[in-house]
Amino acid sequence: MQIETPYLLFLGDARDALAAKTGQGIVDWRPDAVAGQMRLPGCGADLGVRELTIAKAARAGARTFVIGAVNPGGVLPQAWRSHVIEALEAGLDVASGMHVRLAGIPGIAETAHRLGRRLFDVRHPAGTFHTASGRKRTGKRLLTVGTDCSVGKKYTALAIERELVRRGVDVDYRATGQTGILIAGSGIAIDAVVSDFAAGAAEALSPDAGADHWDVVEGQGSLFHPSFAGVSLALLHGTQPDTFVVCHEPTRRTMRNVETPIARIEDVISETTALGRLTNPDVRCAGIALDTSALSENDAKRVIDETASQFEVPACDPVRQGVGVIVDGLP
């Protein structure tokens, strides 16, 4: 995919900041690609960039209307569809990370075809994949895993990749979700792959590499989330990581969009190690990344220090502190 920038990030009426995590991720990691944001009445998210209408964005040089919000099921709300059509008519391409295909929505496909605009369904892989083989591949791999959804797996992976680049290490960030793909420019939305082929897609995403090359793979979901454990397990088996980093939000009590209690860090370490040994017998925990944004500076430091002491691995908040302490311990 060659998705043209700058982007107009459309948040619709996203209920909160987490629902706008696609847009926020692009702003945080590719700010140069953002022309502005567009929100509907009742939107509970704000990316902190300038507000633009579609017409103003087009005049300002925006090239692609990016749907920057997510929702359970990945559907495009009826109220958003007229804005997609308006963007096409204003001369913009449209990119979406929703499960539903833009080309399958009445009115949108016809408008794009009539005007010669492009529709990018980022979540839907263009190719096909084989079932996983479990064959040991060369190179080194790190996978971010979580106690829940939306606890910093993408941010932690991007921060680790950036720190390795800074140190002159040969490294690739491997995106597995729609936001990561829009940030990195490539990847596989693993949750859109047919389940029998998901681990094979993860193998294809992290192929054989040089002995000193690192693939830093963005994790998805949680092995303990009743909705998304399957995709988490496929990534674990397919990437066969040498190391993994556990991501956790210490103030959260239940998992996102369900009533299940959030998983304990020790259980995630234990289960990831046990299940990961199927394809890499030497898999180990490299550290713990904490999202302490809901805590004061003093409380954050206390929680980070206590976590590192309890589990005897490096712990940090990638946003507050960076991930140097985790990278220092990589083999």
Side-chain angles (χ1 to χ4, degrees), residues 2-14:
Q2 295 296 322
I3 304 174
E4 292 189 50
T5 59
Y7 299 150
L8 173 61
L9 300 176
F10 177 69
L11 304 187
D13 51 1

Side-chain angles (χ1 to χ4, degrees), residues 1-241:
M1 296 182 184
Q2 295 296 322
I3 304 174
E4 292 189 50
T5 59
Y7 299 150
L8 173 61
L9 300 176
F10 177 69
L11 304 187
D13 51 1
R15 66 187 178 97
D16 56 22
L18 272 180
K21 66 178 184 177
T22 295
Q24 190 65 63
I26 295 169
V27 168
D28 289 346
W29 294 94
R30 289 200 66 191
D32 57 308
V34 177
Q37 68 180 1
M38 177 183 170
R39 300 184 293 168
L40 299 181
C43 182
D46 185 353
L47 305 179
V49 297
R50 63 175 173 166
E51 300 281 350
L52 291 173
T53 64
I54 290 171
K56 288 182 179 178
R59 290 196 294 270
R63 300 298 305 146
T64 305
F65 183 81
V66 173
I67 298 172
V70 297
N71 55 39
V75 299
L76 188 71
Q78 185 71 40
W80 295 8
R81 298 182 184 188
S82 62
H83 301 289
V84 173
I85 292 173
E86 182 186 351
L88 293 168
E89 291 175 339
L92 278 65
D93 296 332
V94 178
S96 168
M98 299 290 193
H99 279 295
V100 65
R101 293 179 185 269
L102 290 169
I105 299 174
I108 292 177
E110 294 86 347
T111 302
H113 178 74
R114 173 171 56 84
L115 298 173
R117 310 286 181 244
R118 296 180 299 168
L119 301 175
F120 295 99
D121 287 304
V122 176
R123 205 166 201 149
H124 295 273
T128 58
F129 305 102
H130 299 290
T131 55
S133 69
R135 178 186 64 82
K136 177 64 177 173
R137 303 189 299 286
T138 56
K140 301 176 182 179
R141 290 166 190 83
L142 181 150
L143 175 67
T144 54
V145 301
T147 56
D148 190 11
C149 305
S150 304
V151 287
K153 294 182 290 293
K154 175 177 66 270
Y155 274 54
T156 300
L158 284 163
I160 291 172
E161 183 236 11
R162 178 179 286 177
E163 179 63 18
L164 287 170
V165 168
R166 190 186 69 80
R167 298 185 185 200
V169 175
D170 184 19
V171 59
D172 283 302
Y173 166 73
R174 302 299 188 181
T176 61
Q178 69 275 16
T179 307
I181 292 170
L182 286 164
I183 293 168
S186 64
I188 298 171
I190 203 75
D191 63 359
V193 178
V194 174
S195 58
D196 273 1
F197 304 98
E203 288 185 347
L205 185 69
S206 53
D208 283 305
D212 294 325
H213 175 86
W214 277 96
D215 274 342
V216 180
V217 184
E218 170 196 4
Q220 295 293 328
S222 170
L223 289 173
F224 291 83
H225 198 293
S227 305
F228 309 118
V231 71
S232 305
L233 183 61
L235 271 175
L236 178 60
H237 286 161
T239 58
Q240 53 185 228

Side-chain angles (χ1 to χ4, degrees), residues 264-287:
R264 300 188 305 168
I265 292 173
E266 53 264 45
D267 292 336
V268 173
I269 293 174
S270 175
E271 196 75 357
T272 302
T273 303
L275 295 173
R277 284 175 177 155
L278 176 67
T279 55
N280 189 340
D282 298 320
V283 62
R284 68 175 183 84
C285 179

